[in-house]
Amino acid sequence: MLTINIQKDMLSADGRATLEIDATIQDNELLCLFGHSGAGKTTLLRILAGLTKPDKGRIMYNNTVWFDSEKKINLPPQERNVGYMFQDYALFPNMTVEKNISFAQKEKNPDEVEKLLELFDLNILKNQHPNKLSGGQKQRVALARALAAKPNVLLLDEPLSALDYDMRLALQHEIRKAHELLNTLTIMVSHDLQEVFHLASSVIMLKNGTVIKEGKPADVFSQSTEWKSRMEHLSY
Amino acid sequence: MDQDFINTLLLTGKLAGWTTTILFVVGFPISYLLAYKRFWFKPIVEALISMPLVLPPTVLGFYMLVAYSPQNAFGRWLAEHFNVRLAFSFEGVLIASVIFSLPFMIQPLQNGFTSIPKSFRETAYTLGKSEFTTFIRVLVPNMIPSIITAAAMTFAHCIGEFGVVIMVGGNMPGETRVASIAIYDEVQAMNYQTANQYSFVLFIISLLILTLIYSINGKKKIFF
């Protein structure tokens, strides 16, 4: 269980704003952070990963304190055991697909690498370097690499934003498959309503750093007339 | 071929080789800090490192001579504790050469570090990798063209160095007389043929090194 109670000054779409989050996320959840650009979604992911320091508050994963401003605790990213998938995927160009995945392992285990290659249908590409891969293939490698470290929390920053519609649908399925199989607490940034309905078990909707709604996707979006009309246009 | 000619070229190569090796070791941590860390006096450090690009070599050479003098604190300390006199010695020229060639090593390395997307380092950290592992496994292999450029530029610059060497080392055959000084010396003595031989060798080496750098920068993707 991840407990977040933090504040962080940031620059939002409307100028200066304070990101204020008070939330508890269960272990098997796939939470979607939803909102317009500059709402604070990526900042929150970075804070959870230990890449950005909040101004004050506390973050706990089960009984481990990740951040506590009063006690001056701030665990570095290396000690949080999170998997972070960046928008640009950040695959290491000097390593093959297989090496990218095995690099992430804390203890080398070729069988696990093979399993991940198979799970994400990457076997045929395992000796390729990232510059030879398509956007969708890169996304699958990045996801496999993030999971290879067996993270407690998986953080996905708009993982599908750079892909075309068909590819997005196919890879939404991959993300759901990985989440169901590994049951890792997953937090994903998105501003695609369809993606949220397809993947998320719960949603936090952010605006200028503030949580404006949270709950199950259907509940969150049915409360808003703007989003309700958009929901009706979804194909499923 | 004249033994003096060969010795002078070997000494030139030795000076450039040692300078490049020392700067290679010193340059990585300095350029890493300048690329990724924030500290209030960073602009001063960057300015000091870049000074040899704009400062006349004779100015640095003069200050080095002053520092090496046994009449001043550093020179006296060296003389009293180690019985070492750096003025007009190979070691003295080497130290001056290292300082004077700093920007040629640091700037390409710093550019190499900053050209690597921040997300590479951050991904490695979230995968539990230390800064050192990230440096060795992720950063260095992805900036090989910058590393080759830095080493080649430093070596090429050292081979052509004149002002600092003549100020700090003078013109002592086998000790401080490098090719660029030999050219000046031979021209003064009107031995134009020997001066031409030295000049031709330096011209060819410099051309080869610069061709290497440009061919690497034109084919950065060749490494992956």
Side-chain angles (χ1 to χ4, degrees):
Chain A
M1 188 170 72
L2 186 64
T3 314
I4 311 163
N5 185 345
I6 52 101
Q7 281 184 24
K8 169 81 181 166
D9 285 342
M10 57 168 208
L11 275 176
S12 78
D14 300 329
R16 287 203 166 277
T18 301
L19 176 68
E20 283 188 87
I21 305 290
D22 187 355
T24 301
I25 307 155
Q26 299 302 324
D27 273 341
N28 56 357
E29 259 186 80
L30 199 161
L31 171 79
C32 196
L33 298 174
F34 187 83
H36 295 295
S37 294
K41 308 181 299 287
T42 297
T43 305
L44 177 57
L45 276 205
R46 292 181 59 82
I47 285 172
L48 293 176
L51 300 170
T52 297
K53 190 179 170 189
D55 296 331
K56 61 178 179 180
R58 188 174 155 89
I59 305 169
M60 280 194 73
Y61 177 74
N62 291 334
N63 294 322
T64 311
V65 180
W66 282 2
F67 177 80
D68 190 327
S69 55
E70 281 181 14
K71 292 181 180 165
K72 299 197 185 309
I73 296 171
N74 186 17
L75 282 194
Q78 288 91 338
E79 292 175 33
R80 297 192 183 199
N81 196 22
V82 297
Y84 195 120
M85 195 173 131
F86 286 86
Q87 278 184 48
D88 65 357
Y89 308 130
L91 297 176
F92 306 133
N94 59 310
M95 299 182 196
T96 61
V97 167
E98 190 177 20
K99 295 268 187 222
N100 261 284
I101 297 171
S102 65
F103 177 73
Q105 292 184 310
K106 290 178 178 71
E107 287 169 17
K108 294 295 158 220
N109 185 338
D111 292 342
E112 290 275 344
V113 175
E114 281 299 317
K115 273 186 202 165
L116 284 166
L117 286 168
E118 204 167 308
L119 177 66
F120 291 101
D121 204 14
L122 292 166
N123 256 320
I124 202 165
L125 301 168
K126 69 179 183 182
N127 294 320
Q128 297 287 345
H129 282 89
N131 63 346
K132 303 278 184 213
L133 305 180
S134 69
Q137 289 165 339
K138 284 180 185 169
Q139 191 267 357
R140 275 151 47 205
V141 178
L143 192 54
R145 183 179 63 181
L147 292 169
K150 296 190 176 159
N152 292 325
V153 178
L154 182 61
L155 306 169
L156 310 174
D157 191 358
E158 297 193 41
L160 310 175
S161 61
L163 307 174
D164 62 39
Y165 179 77
D166 289 339
M167 188 63 82
R168 274 214 306 271
L169 283 185
L171 293 171
Q172 281 172 12
H173 176 68
E174 299 276 349
I175 291 174
R176 197 150 78 172
K177 188 168 73 179
H179 180 254
E180 282 168 3
L181 195 75
L182 303 161
N183 233 0
T184 309
L185 191 166
T186 304
I187 303 175
M188 188 176 108
V189 164
S190 178
H191 43 215
D192 182 334
L193 201 53
Q194 196 175 51
E195 207 168 281
V196 176
F197 271 88
H198 198 184
L199 293 173
S201 54
S202 58
V203 184
I204 288 180
M205 194 190 279
L206 287 169
K207 190 173 183 185
N208 292 333
T210 309
V211 177
I212 50 171
K213 288 189 189 81
E214 58 181 301
K216 296 200 175 304
D219 297 339
V220 167
F221 293 105
S222 63
Q223 289 165 22
S224 154
T225 47
E226 179 199 352
W227 295 108
K228 205 171 172 181
S229 65
R230 293 200 195 181
M231 271 166 62
E232 284 159 6
H233 288 94
L234 289 178
S235 53
Y236 50 80
Chain B
M1 198 172 278
D2 181 25
Q3 191 59 41
D4 193 38
F5 180 80
I6 294 170
N7 287 345
T8 301
L9 287 181
L10 287 177
L11 186 72
T12 308
K14 185 178 160 189
L15 179 66
W18 273 111
T19 302
T20 308
T21 307
I22 292 168
L23 277 177
F24 208 67
V25 176
V26 174
F28 269 105
I30 294 175
S31 49
Y32 182 89
L33 290 174
L34 291 176
Y36 296 141
K37 305 290 177 186
R38 288 184 197 171
F39 44 96
W40 67 268
F41 57 95
K42 188 169 155 179
I44 301 170
V45 176
E46 287 182 312
L48 281 171
I49 287 170
S50 300
M51 282 291 272
L53 295 174
V54 291
L55 199 67
T58 44
V59 174
L60 181 81
F62 171 72
Y63 283 131
M64 296 302 289
L65 262 188
V66 170
Y68 291 166
S69 166
Q71 291 177 340
N72 293 312
F74 178 64
R76 192 164 52 241
W77 180 78
L78 283 176
E80 285 172 2
H81 289 83
F82 303 101
N83 195 25
V84 169
R85 286 172 189 268
L86 289 174
F88 304 104
S89 71
F90 177 78
E91 290 74 16
V93 172
L94 179 59
I95 293 170
S97 174
V98 164
I99 293 171
F100 203 67
S101 299
L102 261 174
F104 296 92
M105 181 63 82
I106 301 288
Q107 288 188 352
L109 289 182
Q110 192 179 342
N111 290 339
F113 280 122
T114 51
S115 69
I116 295 174
K118 191 179 170 189
S119 58
F120 284 19
R121 276 183 299 139
E122 293 185 333
T123 295
Y125 297 160
T126 58
L127 292 172
K129 309 302 173 191
S130 65
E131 273 196 66
F132 184 72
T133 304
T134 305
F135 174 81
I136 296 292
R137 300 281 309 275
V138 177
L139 301 180
V140 169
N142 286 307
M143 53 182 279
I144 286 170
S146 300
I147 294 169
I148 294 175
T149 301
M153 285 294 285
T154 307
F155 192 87
H157 176 255
C158 272
I159 281 188
E161 183 43 48
F162 178 81
V164 166
V165 180
I166 201 151
M167 286 292 286
V168 176
N171 181 10
M172 296 160 67
E175 183 68 23
T176 62
R177 190 184 198 244
V178 294
S180 57
I181 290 171
I183 293 169
Y184 178 78
D185 200 34
E186 299 297 349
V187 170
Q188 292 296 304
M190 291 196 284
N191 295 329
Y192 296 127
Q193 195 183 349
T194 317
N196 186 28
Q197 286 172 347
Y198 283 123
S199 301
F200 183 72
V201 172
L202 291 198
F203 180 86
I204 293 297
I205 291 173
S206 303
L207 182 66
L208 287 176
I209 289 172
L210 288 175
T211 307
L212 172 77
I213 292 169
Y214 282 112
S215 64
I216 287 166
N217 287 336
K219 295 179 188 173
K220 278 188 179 174
K221 298 283 178 197
I222 202 168
F223 294 96
F224 310 120

